[in-house]
Every structure is written in structure tokens, then in C-alpha cells.
Amino acid sequence: MSGLCHGPRLREMDARHGGSIIDAQITLALAGEEGAPWPPELAADVAAVTTADFDLVDRDAGDIDDSLDLIAIAVRL
């Protein structure tokens, strides 16, 4: 069992956007009837996210309770 977590670059983006790049997107989406336009900085950061921006943390190497997702690998015998 492993946990999917924000890597260093995503943590930097979180800090730039008030602590959470995801919360920044949600706040704008819920603003008014049609939402609010995204600032260019937020749009650029979201567009720049790649798979390399995430870390897999093995349950034996760290706490996976706060992971974005859990990944289980099973072997059929």
C-alpha cells in the first residue's frame, strides 16, 4: 500500500495559492452563478502540473493517512 502525495513543486504551488491550489480552484468555481475567471498565475500553475509533481510514499516509509489517494498493488497467486 502506498499513498499519493504532493511533491515539492506542488507544495510550492500550494503555498503560492493560499495553502491549496485545489481550494483556490474550487473557490473561484463557486463564486457567483458562473464562477470567477482564474488569475493567469493559477491557470499557468494548473496547466504545468505533471505526474512528476507527485510522490508515492510507501506505508512503511511514512504516514499515508493524509494522502490524496491510496494505491494498492496485489498479486494473484
mmCIF file of all heavy atoms in Angstrom, residues 12-49:
data_model
loop_
_atom_site.group_PDB
_atom_site.id
_atom_site.type_symbol
_atom_site.label_atom_id
_atom_site.label_comp_id
_atom_site.label_asym_id
_atom_site.label_seq_id
_atom_site.Cartn_x
_atom_site.Cartn_y
_atom_site.Cartn_z
ATOM 1 N N GLU A 12 5.048 23.952 -3.337
ATOM 2 C CA GLU A 12 5.351 25.362 -3.614
ATOM 3 C C GLU A 12 4.135 26.051 -4.239
ATOM 4 O O GLU A 12 3.811 27.191 -3.907
ATOM 5 C CB GLU A 12 6.548 25.480 -4.546
ATOM 6 C CG GLU A 12 7.871 25.118 -3.922
ATOM 7 C CD GLU A 12 9.009 25.100 -4.938
ATOM 8 O OE1 GLU A 12 8.813 25.564 -6.083
ATOM 9 O OE2 GLU A 12 10.094 24.607 -4.581
ATOM 10 N N MET A 13 3.467 25.367 -5.172
ATOM 11 C CA MET A 13 2.260 25.929 -5.791
ATOM 12 C C MET A 13 1.168 26.135 -4.745
ATOM 13 O O MET A 13 0.484 27.164 -4.748
ATOM 14 C CB MET A 13 1.747 25.024 -6.910
ATOM 15 C CG MET A 13 2.609 25.006 -8.142
ATOM 16 S SD MET A 13 1.847 23.902 -9.375
ATOM 17 C CE MET A 13 3.183 23.749 -10.543
ATOM 18 N N ASP A 14 0.991 25.156 -3.857
ATOM 19 C CA ASP A 14 0.012 25.303 -2.777
ATOM 20 C C ASP A 14 0.271 26.582 -1.990
ATOM 21 O O ASP A 14 -0.647 27.368 -1.727
ATOM 22 C CB ASP A 14 0.070 24.107 -1.824
ATOM 23 C CG ASP A 14 -0.634 22.873 -2.351
ATOM 24 O OD1 ASP A 14 -1.509 22.997 -3.231
ATOM 25 O OD2 ASP A 14 -0.311 21.772 -1.870
ATOM 26 N N ALA A 15 1.528 26.807 -1.626
ATOM 27 C CA ALA A 15 1.888 27.992 -0.842
ATOM 28 C C ALA A 15 1.580 29.280 -1.605
ATOM 29 O O ALA A 15 1.097 30.256 -1.023
ATOM 30 C CB ALA A 15 3.365 27.929 -0.453
ATOM 31 N N ARG A 16 1.835 29.283 -2.915
ATOM 32 C CA ARG A 16 1.560 30.481 -3.727
ATOM 33 C C ARG A 16 0.070 30.803 -3.818
ATOM 34 O O ARG A 16 -0.298 31.945 -4.057
ATOM 35 C CB ARG A 16 2.100 30.305 -5.149
ATOM 36 C CG ARG A 16 3.553 30.565 -5.308
ATOM 37 C CD ARG A 16 3.936 30.806 -6.760
ATOM 38 N NE ARG A 16 3.647 29.704 -7.648
ATOM 39 C CZ ARG A 16 4.479 28.692 -7.916
ATOM 40 N NH1 ARG A 16 5.644 28.641 -7.316
ATOM 41 N NH2 ARG A 16 4.133 27.755 -8.765
ATOM 42 N N HIS A 17 -0.756 29.788 -3.647
ATOM 43 C CA HIS A 17 -2.195 29.974 -3.835
ATOM 44 C C HIS A 17 -2.964 29.837 -2.517
ATOM 45 O O HIS A 17 -4.059 29.286 -2.460
ATOM 46 C CB HIS A 17 -2.714 28.987 -4.896
ATOM 47 C CG HIS A 17 -2.089 29.225 -6.229
ATOM 48 N ND1 HIS A 17 -2.410 30.299 -7.030
ATOM 49 C CD2 HIS A 17 -1.113 28.548 -6.882
ATOM 50 C CE1 HIS A 17 -1.678 30.256 -8.125
ATOM 51 N NE2 HIS A 17 -0.882 29.212 -8.059
ATOM 52 N N GLY A 18 -2.375 30.350 -1.462
ATOM 53 C CA GLY A 18 -3.069 30.427 -0.184
ATOM 54 C C GLY A 18 -3.120 29.131 0.606
ATOM 55 O O GLY A 18 -3.953 28.985 1.486
ATOM 56 N N GLY A 19 -2.267 28.177 0.286
ATOM 57 C CA GLY A 19 -2.212 26.933 1.035
ATOM 58 C C GLY A 19 -2.700 25.719 0.275
ATOM 59 O O GLY A 19 -2.368 24.601 0.628
ATOM 60 N N SER A 20 -3.517 25.937 -0.783
ATOM 61 C CA SER A 20 -4.013 24.798 -1.553
ATOM 62 C C SER A 20 -4.399 25.245 -2.961
ATOM 63 O O SER A 20 -5.326 26.035 -3.125
ATOM 64 C CB SER A 20 -5.226 24.162 -0.868
ATOM 65 O OG SER A 20 -5.824 23.199 -1.709
ATOM 66 N N ILE A 21 -3.709 24.727 -3.955
ATOM 67 C CA ILE A 21 -4.030 25.046 -5.345
ATOM 68 C C ILE A 21 -5.421 24.513 -5.702
ATOM 69 O O ILE A 21 -6.141 25.118 -6.491
ATOM 70 C CB ILE A 21 -2.937 24.516 -6.296
ATOM 71 C CG1 ILE A 21 -3.100 25.103 -7.698
ATOM 72 C CG2 ILE A 21 -2.912 23.002 -6.328
ATOM 73 C CD1 ILE A 21 -1.939 24.808 -8.637
ATOM 74 N N ILE A 22 -5.823 23.408 -5.081
ATOM 75 C CA ILE A 22 -7.150 22.842 -5.327
ATOM 76 C C ILE A 22 -8.223 23.734 -4.720
ATOM 77 O O ILE A 22 -9.235 24.039 -5.368
ATOM 78 C CB ILE A 22 -7.226 21.409 -4.770
ATOM 79 C CG1 ILE A 22 -6.260 20.506 -5.536
ATOM 80 C CG2 ILE A 22 -8.651 20.857 -4.852
ATOM 81 C CD1 ILE A 22 -6.021 19.159 -4.902
ATOM 82 N N ASP A 23 -8.034 24.172 -3.485
ATOM 83 C CA ASP A 23 -9.009 25.065 -2.856
ATOM 84 C C ASP A 23 -9.140 26.377 -3.618
ATOM 85 O O ASP A 23 -10.241 26.940 -3.704
ATOM 86 C CB ASP A 23 -8.640 25.341 -1.404
ATOM 87 C CG ASP A 23 -8.872 24.139 -0.495
ATOM 88 O OD1 ASP A 23 -9.562 23.178 -0.924
ATOM 89 O OD2 ASP A 23 -8.358 24.157 0.647
ATOM 90 N N ALA A 24 -8.046 26.875 -4.179
ATOM 91 C CA ALA A 24 -8.103 28.109 -4.969
ATOM 92 C C ALA A 24 -9.012 27.923 -6.183
ATOM 93 O O ALA A 24 -9.809 28.806 -6.527
ATOM 94 C CB ALA A 24 -6.702 28.523 -5.405
ATOM 95 N N GLN A 25 -8.926 26.771 -6.838
ATOM 96 C CA GLN A 25 -9.776 26.485 -7.992
ATOM 97 C C GLN A 25 -11.247 26.367 -7.579
ATOM 98 O O GLN A 25 -12.134 26.910 -8.244
ATOM 99 C CB GLN A 25 -9.343 25.175 -8.660
ATOM 100 C CG GLN A 25 -7.966 25.237 -9.291
ATOM 101 C CD GLN A 25 -7.522 23.855 -9.720
ATOM 102 O OE1 GLN A 25 -8.050 23.306 -10.673
ATOM 103 N NE2 GLN A 25 -6.566 23.281 -9.008
ATOM 104 N N ILE A 26 -11.496 25.675 -6.483
ATOM 105 C CA ILE A 26 -12.866 25.476 -6.010
ATOM 106 C C ILE A 26 -13.507 26.803 -5.622
ATOM 107 O O ILE A 26 -14.664 27.076 -5.965
ATOM 108 C CB ILE A 26 -12.894 24.479 -4.832
ATOM 109 C CG1 ILE A 26 -12.520 23.086 -5.330
ATOM 110 C CG2 ILE A 26 -14.255 24.465 -4.148
ATOM 111 C CD1 ILE A 26 -12.273 22.071 -4.221
ATOM 112 N N THR A 27 -12.762 27.644 -4.922
ATOM 113 C CA THR A 27 -13.283 28.949 -4.507
ATOM 114 C C THR A 27 -13.735 29.760 -5.709
ATOM 115 O O THR A 27 -14.820 30.352 -5.708
ATOM 116 C CB THR A 27 -12.213 29.724 -3.709
ATOM 117 O OG1 THR A 27 -11.911 28.980 -2.525
ATOM 118 C CG2 THR A 27 -12.690 31.114 -3.333
ATOM 119 N N LEU A 28 -12.923 29.786 -6.757
ATOM 120 C CA LEU A 28 -13.286 30.547 -7.959
ATOM 121 C C LEU A 28 -14.451 29.901 -8.705
ATOM 122 O O LEU A 28 -15.322 30.600 -9.238
ATOM 123 C CB LEU A 28 -12.072 30.695 -8.875
ATOM 124 C CG LEU A 28 -10.953 31.557 -8.301
ATOM 125 C CD1 LEU A 28 -9.710 31.473 -9.169
ATOM 126 C CD2 LEU A 28 -11.399 33.005 -8.145
ATOM 127 N N ALA A 29 -14.513 28.584 -8.721
ATOM 128 C CA ALA A 29 -15.601 27.892 -9.413
ATOM 129 C C ALA A 29 -16.947 28.142 -8.741
ATOM 130 O O ALA A 29 -17.981 28.179 -9.407
ATOM 131 C CB ALA A 29 -15.315 26.396 -9.474
ATOM 132 N N LEU A 30 -16.938 28.327 -7.425
ATOM 133 C CA LEU A 30 -18.176 28.533 -6.680
ATOM 134 C C LEU A 30 -18.560 30.003 -6.526
ATOM 135 O O LEU A 30 -19.601 30.303 -5.943
ATOM 136 C CB LEU A 30 -18.065 27.881 -5.297
ATOM 137 C CG LEU A 30 -17.880 26.357 -5.295
ATOM 138 C CD1 LEU A 30 -17.696 25.851 -3.872
ATOM 139 C CD2 LEU A 30 -19.038 25.668 -5.985
ATOM 140 N N ALA A 31 -17.754 30.911 -7.046
ATOM 141 C CA ALA A 31 -18.024 32.346 -6.923
ATOM 142 C C ALA A 31 -19.114 32.757 -7.914
ATOM 143 O O ALA A 31 -18.960 32.592 -9.117
ATOM 144 C CB ALA A 31 -16.752 33.147 -7.180
ATOM 145 N N GLY A 32 -20.228 33.243 -7.405
ATOM 146 C CA GLY A 32 -21.309 33.700 -8.278
ATOM 147 C C GLY A 32 -21.965 32.544 -9.020
ATOM 148 O O GLY A 32 -21.704 31.377 -8.768
ATOM 149 N N GLU A 33 -22.845 32.890 -9.943
ATOM 150 C CA GLU A 33 -23.580 31.863 -10.690
ATOM 151 C C GLU A 33 -22.695 31.098 -11.673
ATOM 152 O O GLU A 33 -22.900 29.918 -11.916
ATOM 153 C CB GLU A 33 -24.739 32.500 -11.448
ATOM 154 C CG GLU A 33 -25.874 32.909 -10.544
ATOM 155 C CD GLU A 33 -27.060 33.425 -11.323
ATOM 156 O OE1 GLU A 33 -27.281 32.964 -12.459
ATOM 157 O OE2 GLU A 33 -27.764 34.290 -10.786
ATOM 158 N N GLU A 34 -21.747 31.772 -12.284
ATOM 159 C CA GLU A 34 -20.908 31.145 -13.302
ATOM 160 C C GLU A 34 -19.450 31.028 -12.880
ATOM 161 O O GLU A 34 -18.588 30.733 -13.704
ATOM 162 C CB GLU A 34 -21.007 31.929 -14.611
ATOM 163 C CG GLU A 34 -22.398 31.901 -15.204
ATOM 164 C CD GLU A 34 -22.482 32.598 -16.537
ATOM 165 O OE1 GLU A 34 -21.440 32.734 -17.203
ATOM 166 O OE2 GLU A 34 -23.586 33.001 -16.899
ATOM 167 N N GLY A 35 -19.184 31.259 -11.621
ATOM 168 C CA GLY A 35 -17.809 31.206 -11.155
ATOM 169 C C GLY A 35 -17.063 32.482 -11.512
ATOM 170 O O GLY A 35 -17.611 33.412 -12.089
ATOM 171 N N ALA A 36 -15.810 32.512 -11.155
ATOM 172 C CA ALA A 36 -14.966 33.673 -11.433
ATOM 173 C C ALA A 36 -13.807 33.225 -12.320
ATOM 174 O O ALA A 36 -13.372 32.081 -12.252
ATOM 175 C CB ALA A 36 -14.431 34.253 -10.125
ATOM 176 N N PRO A 37 -13.316 34.121 -13.169
ATOM 177 C CA PRO A 37 -12.163 33.740 -14.006
ATOM 178 C C PRO A 37 -10.935 33.476 -13.150
ATOM 179 O O PRO A 37 -10.750 34.078 -12.099
ATOM 180 C CB PRO A 37 -11.963 34.958 -14.910
ATOM 181 C CG PRO A 37 -12.674 36.083 -14.246
ATOM 182 C CD PRO A 37 -13.740 35.497 -13.381
ATOM 183 N N TRP A 38 -10.123 32.561 -13.627
ATOM 184 C CA TRP A 38 -8.891 32.248 -12.920
ATOM 185 C C TRP A 38 -7.841 33.308 -13.212
ATOM 186 O O TRP A 38 -7.675 33.729 -14.362
ATOM 187 C CB TRP A 38 -8.337 30.915 -13.381
ATOM 188 C CG TRP A 38 -9.097 29.709 -12.929
ATOM 189 C CD1 TRP A 38 -10.296 29.673 -12.295
ATOM 190 C CD2 TRP A 38 -8.680 28.362 -13.091
ATOM 191 N NE1 TRP A 38 -10.660 28.378 -12.058
ATOM 192 C CE2 TRP A 38 -9.691 27.552 -12.534
ATOM 193 C CE3 TRP A 38 -7.571 27.766 -13.649
ATOM 194 C CZ2 TRP A 38 -9.610 26.163 -12.514
ATOM 195 C CZ3 TRP A 38 -7.495 26.386 -13.629
ATOM 196 C CH2 TRP A 38 -8.493 25.589 -13.063
ATOM 197 N N PRO A 39 -7.079 33.713 -12.192
ATOM 198 C CA PRO A 39 -5.931 34.584 -12.445
ATOM 199 C C PRO A 39 -4.926 33.840 -13.331
ATOM 200 O O PRO A 39 -4.826 32.606 -13.264
ATOM 201 C CB PRO A 39 -5.348 34.839 -11.062
ATOM 202 C CG PRO A 39 -6.372 34.396 -10.076
ATOM 203 C CD PRO A 39 -7.245 33.408 -10.773
ATOM 204 N N PRO A 40 -4.174 34.552 -14.153
ATOM 205 C CA PRO A 40 -3.204 33.905 -15.041
ATOM 206 C C PRO A 40 -2.211 33.004 -14.306
ATOM 207 O O PRO A 40 -1.826 31.951 -14.817
ATOM 208 C CB PRO A 40 -2.496 35.065 -15.735
ATOM 209 C CG PRO A 40 -3.426 36.224 -15.612
ATOM 210 C CD PRO A 40 -4.217 36.001 -14.357
ATOM 211 N N GLU A 41 -1.791 33.398 -13.099
ATOM 212 C CA GLU A 41 -0.822 32.612 -12.346
ATOM 213 C C GLU A 41 -1.399 31.240 -11.968
ATOM 214 O O GLU A 41 -0.718 30.223 -12.046
ATOM 215 C CB GLU A 41 -0.386 33.346 -11.067
ATOM 216 C CG GLU A 41 0.291 34.672 -11.327
ATOM 217 C CD GLU A 41 -0.701 35.823 -11.554
ATOM 218 O OE1 GLU A 41 -1.926 35.671 -11.277
ATOM 219 O OE2 GLU A 41 -0.257 36.875 -12.018
ATOM 220 N N LEU A 42 -2.669 31.211 -11.557
ATOM 221 C CA LEU A 42 -3.310 29.953 -11.190
ATOM 222 C C LEU A 42 -3.482 29.074 -12.425
ATOM 223 O O LEU A 42 -3.156 27.881 -12.398
ATOM 224 C CB LEU A 42 -4.666 30.200 -10.528
ATOM 225 C CG LEU A 42 -5.471 28.956 -10.149
ATOM 226 C CD1 LEU A 42 -4.717 28.078 -9.162
ATOM 227 C CD2 LEU A 42 -6.834 29.364 -9.581
ATOM 228 N N ALA A 43 -3.956 29.651 -13.509
ATOM 229 C CA ALA A 43 -4.142 28.888 -14.751
ATOM 230 C C ALA A 43 -2.815 28.291 -15.231
ATOM 231 O O ALA A 43 -2.758 27.128 -15.647
ATOM 232 C CB ALA A 43 -4.752 29.773 -15.827
ATOM 233 N N ALA A 44 -1.749 29.070 -15.149
ATOM 234 C CA ALA A 44 -0.433 28.588 -15.593
ATOM 235 C C ALA A 44 0.070 27.462 -14.699
ATOM 236 O O ALA A 44 0.605 26.461 -15.194
ATOM 237 C CB ALA A 44 0.572 29.739 -15.615
ATOM 238 N N ASP A 45 -0.105 27.597 -13.394
ATOM 239 C CA ASP A 45 0.345 26.548 -12.479
ATOM 240 C C ASP A 45 -0.442 25.249 -12.704
ATOM 241 O O ASP A 45 0.138 24.167 -12.761
ATOM 242 C CB ASP A 45 0.213 26.989 -11.022
ATOM 243 C CG ASP A 45 1.369 27.868 -10.573
ATOM 244 O OD1 ASP A 45 2.388 27.948 -11.297
ATOM 245 O OD2 ASP A 45 1.256 28.459 -9.477
ATOM 246 N N VAL A 46 -1.757 25.340 -12.849
ATOM 247 C CA VAL A 46 -2.571 24.141 -13.075
ATOM 248 C C VAL A 46 -2.165 23.462 -14.380
ATOM 249 O O VAL A 46 -2.007 22.239 -14.436
ATOM 250 C CB VAL A 46 -4.074 24.485 -13.062
ATOM 251 C CG1 VAL A 46 -4.907 23.301 -13.538
ATOM 252 C CG2 VAL A 46 -4.507 24.929 -11.666
ATOM 253 N N ALA A 47 -1.957 24.242 -15.419
ATOM 254 C CA ALA A 47 -1.573 23.681 -16.722
ATOM 255 C C ALA A 47 -0.189 23.029 -16.680
ATOM 256 O O ALA A 47 0.092 22.127 -17.469
ATOM 257 C CB ALA A 47 -1.604 24.772 -17.790
ATOM 258 N N ALA A 48 0.648 23.462 -15.758
ATOM 259 C CA ALA A 48 2.023 22.956 -15.695
ATOM 260 C C ALA A 48 2.179 21.680 -14.870
ATOM 261 O O ALA A 48 3.248 21.068 -14.871
ATOM 262 C CB ALA A 48 2.937 24.045 -15.118
ATOM 263 N N VAL A 49 1.130 21.251 -14.170
ATOM 264 C CA VAL A 49 1.225 20.062 -13.319
ATOM 265 C C VAL A 49 1.410 18.814 -14.185
ATOM 266 O O VAL A 49 0.730 18.615 -15.183
ATOM 267 C CB VAL A 49 -0.035 19.916 -12.437
ATOM 268 C CG1 VAL A 49 -0.008 18.598 -11.670
ATOM 269 C CG2 VAL A 49 -0.140 21.077 -11.464
#
